[in-house]
Amino acid sequence: MQYRSQAVAKPYFVAAIALFVGQILFGLIIGLQYVVGDFLFPAIPFNVARMVHTNLLIVWLLFGFMGAAYYIVPEESERELESPKLALALFWIFLVAGALTILGYLLVPYAGLAKLTGNGAFPTMGREFLEQPTITKLGIVVVALGFLYNIGMTVLRGRKTVISLVLLMGLAGLAVFFLFSFYNPDNLVKDKYFWWWVVHLWVEGVWELILGSILAFVLIKVTGVDREVIEKWLYLIIAMTLITGIVGTGHHYYWIGTPGYWKWLGSVFSALEPIPFFMMTVFAFNMVNRRRREHPNKAATLWALGTSVMAFLGAGVWGFLHTLAPVNYYTHGTQITAAHGHMAFYGAYVMINLTIISYAMPLLRGRTAANSNRQQVLEMWAFWLMTVSIVFITLFLTAAGILQVWLQRAAETPMPYMVVQEKIALFYWLREITGLVFLAGLVAYIASFFVGADEPEAALAGGGAVQGAPASRLRRESL
């Protein structure tokens, strides 16, 4: 760790992992409720469990992004963080607000929670993924403003690199587009239209900038490849992300009452969206193949490569499968969408968070460069258990979705929704079993922080990463 203020990233990473566990547990509850409808009812109804599952996903990813920014920006800017105390204060505000919101979901009926938090005076609740009470949303804005001030001032007063500027642009976009969660028009078409400005332009727009910058940072550290080479790749990836992702929002506008030209625009541009993910895969493997040093943190390198592959498969390939309007006419809102969502979120954003945590946590815990060999072996087992599990979860949901499309929408005598759900129950059981394997992988991942922690760290080989040196020195050495 080169700068003391980078230490503020540690509580963000710890909170992210704890919330990740909660997200997976509620995912297993939902999965079981698909086949055992009254499981935990009425204590935790399906709609509440699903809301907690998706909200925890968003919140823990945000904790991870913020921790990543607090770790990366001081090193890229070659100066301490503008205000470590502000970063820690915002951490506790965000964590307490998030915990109270989740408890509100679980302990108070949603309508009562809306009344209790004054939603009637400023209504913003009731929309998927944006269910948070208005007061929570206002708290998120306060945290985002403080966070952007802290990161922005650190960048502006320090060395400016492509990585830090792209990261800052992504984080600023994340904050700006969240403001549309406060716009809640009575017109349902307008409501859905601008709702996607938050949901789509986050995950298929500005979040990809954050993903690209974190991946570039880790690859510079673990490969020693010239910064200039990696930054050129980053320029191309970001350009393609913005070109395809912004207009690609149109693939959400097919059936909500918007003009028909969105079917053409959405189909063409969203069909191009796999390109930046494919470039990211080529980029990551190219950099690792050209590496100039053997970094001892093999686990972080594995996560980095895995991110590029799984993001391409989940967001790129599985997204393309049902993005064209004629295909989407049948597949919209089926389990094929769920299959795409699971692999895309895991490949693109879960894995990039685990990549930066895998790289940074050994340093934040006092290591020189990497965990012990035993810890890394356990972490790599976790990688494979979670990754293979999510592949099978995606395949089972895809099979369920194809059968659902046929029975419910394409057959000459379509069946009712609930009848079809019974027909595809086998795939839900298989998904649940695979979900338990995923949980085992997550347990192994957490165990890797403790098992073997008292053993010596993996040895540097081939001129491994030079820790404690300014980034500029690393840059000169790589030339």
Side-chain angles (χ1 to χ4, degrees):
M1 194 169 67
Q2 299 179 22
Y3 297 91
R4 293 181 61 187
S5 59
Q6 288 177 288
V8 301
K10 188 175 178 180
Y12 282 89
F13 290 151
V14 172
I17 294 170
L19 295 170
F20 184 23
V21 174
Q23 183 223 337
I24 298 307
L25 291 176
F26 276 90
L28 289 170
I29 290 172
I30 303 169
L32 199 50
Q33 287 177 336
Y34 262 96
V35 284
V36 183
D38 57 355
F39 178 67
L40 292 181
F41 184 83
I44 306 178
F46 177 86
N47 64 311
V48 172
R50 186 178 185 278
M51 187 165 58
V52 173
H53 174 65
T54 55
N55 277 235
L56 281 174
L57 167 67
I58 295 168
V59 172
W60 91 255
L61 292 180
L62 292 179
F63 267 107
F65 290 156
M66 294 169 79
Y70 285 134
Y71 186 86
I72 292 172
V73 167
E75 209 162 299
E76 287 292 299
S77 303
E78 294 185 342
R79 68 183 297 268
E80 295 287 357
L81 194 63
E82 180 72 11
S83 175
K85 290 182 179 178
L86 176 62
L88 289 174
L90 293 175
F91 167 78
W92 286 110
I93 292 171
F94 195 22
L95 187 65
V96 170
L100 289 175
T101 301
I102 297 299
L103 288 174
Y105 291 159
L106 293 171
L107 301 177
V108 183
Y110 192 70
L113 183 64
K115 186 177 181 181
L116 184 67
T117 55
N119 187 65
F122 187 6
T124 67
M125 297 176 67
R127 291 177 292 174
E128 189 179 14
F129 306 128
L130 302 176
E131 298 94 345
Q132 307 85 28
T134 302
I135 191 170
T136 301
K137 291 191 177 80
L138 291 171
I140 292 173
V141 171
V142 171
V143 169
L145 288 174
F147 170 71
L148 284 176
Y149 165 79
N150 215 354
I151 294 297
M153 293 307 293
T154 307
V155 171
L156 293 175
R157 292 180 176 174
R159 183 185 66 151
K160 297 166 187 63
T161 67
V162 173
I163 289 175
S164 62
L165 292 175
V166 170
L167 179 62
L168 182 59
M169 187 165 63
L171 294 170
L174 186 154
V176 168
F177 285 115
F178 182 72
L179 295 178
F180 287 95
S181 68
F182 291 94
Y183 181 53
N184 191 13
D186 293 332
N187 185 300
L188 189 58
V189 175
K190 289 183 178 178
D191 177 36
K192 296 300 290 183
Y193 186 92
F194 288 105
W195 179 78
W196 285 113
W197 283 35
V198 184
V199 178
H200 174 92
L201 291 178
W202 265 20
V203 300
E204 296 179 62
V206 293
W207 282 26
E208 288 185 39
L209 307 190
I210 300 170
L211 161 63
S213 57
I214 296 174
L215 186 61
F217 174 82
V218 173
L219 286 174
I220 286 176
K221 299 300 179 184
V222 299
T223 66
V225 172
D226 294 0
R227 174 179 289 271
E228 286 79 2
V229 175
I230 288 182
E231 287 180 344
K232 286 175 184 173
W233 272 93
L234 190 56
Y235 277 129
L236 290 173
I237 291 169
I238 297 310
M240 286 306 300
T241 295
L242 295 176
I243 291 171
T244 61
I246 292 175
V247 185
T249 312
H251 72 255
H252 297 294
Y253 293 162
Y254 297 156
W255 326 115
I256 65 171
T258 50
Y261 57 74
W262 280 113
K263 292 186 179 65
W264 290 99
L265 287 175
S267 293
V268 171
F269 280 88
S270 61
L272 298 175
E273 284 190 65
I275 293 176
F277 288 105
F278 179 71
M279 293 172 67
M280 209 174 292
T281 306
V282 175
F283 159 62
F285 277 84
N286 192 12
M287 294 307 107
V288 171
N289 286 335
R290 296 172 60 170
R291 61 189 163 198
R292 295 183 173 187
R293 57 171 68 102
E294 289 293 333
H295 196 281
N297 195 337
K298 305 294 184 187
T301 307
L302 181 62
W303 281 113
L305 291 175
T307 298
S308 65
V309 173
M310 294 302 290
F312 171 63
L313 290 175
V317 176
W318 254 260
F320 178 78
L321 288 178
H322 64 138
T323 199
L324 301 177
V327 177
N328 191 269
Y329 179 76
Y330 292 97
T331 62
H332 189 85
T334 65
Q335 291 299 328
I336 293 176
T337 306
H340 162 55
H342 277 77
M343 188 183 274
F345 265 102
Y346 176 77
Y349 302 120
V350 170
M351 292 186 82
I352 193 60
N353 268 305
L354 298 184
T355 298
I356 185 64
I357 292 173
S358 178
Y359 172 77
M361 276 300 265
L363 307 175
L364 291 168
R365 300 178 76 196
R367 298 282 197 181
T368 303
N371 280 328
S372 67
N373 284 325
R374 193 176 173 197
Q375 285 178 286
Q376 292 195 55
V377 168
L378 191 54
E379 187 178 344
M380 287 189 272
W381 267 101
F383 169 91
W384 287 111
L385 282 171
M386 286 193 279
T387 303
V388 171
S389 297
I390 207 71
V391 168
F392 276 95
I393 287 172
T394 303
L395 292 175
F396 292 143
L397 288 175
T398 303
I402 292 171
L403 192 55
Q404 181 184 8
V405 168
W406 173 253
L407 295 175
Q408 190 179 319
R409 297 180 177 175
E412 291 185 2
T413 54
M415 296 180 180
Y417 173 82
M418 291 308 294
V419 173
V420 173
Q421 293 301 302
E422 292 179 2
K423 301 287 185 186
I424 59 180
L426 172 63
F427 296 108
Y428 291 149
W429 278 113
L430 293 172
R431 186 263 301 270
E432 185 70 5
I433 294 169
T434 317
L436 291 171
V437 178
F438 187 97
L439 178 64
L442 181 54
V443 171
Y445 177 77
I446 295 171
S448 72
F449 288 95
F450 306 101
V451 177
D454 55 346
E455 297 176 5
E457 68 181 272
L460 293 167
V466 183
Q467 301 300 323
S472 57
R473 179 178 155 196
L474 287 173
R475 182 181 174 185
R476 286 195 299 274
E477 288 178 355
S478 67
L479 294 174

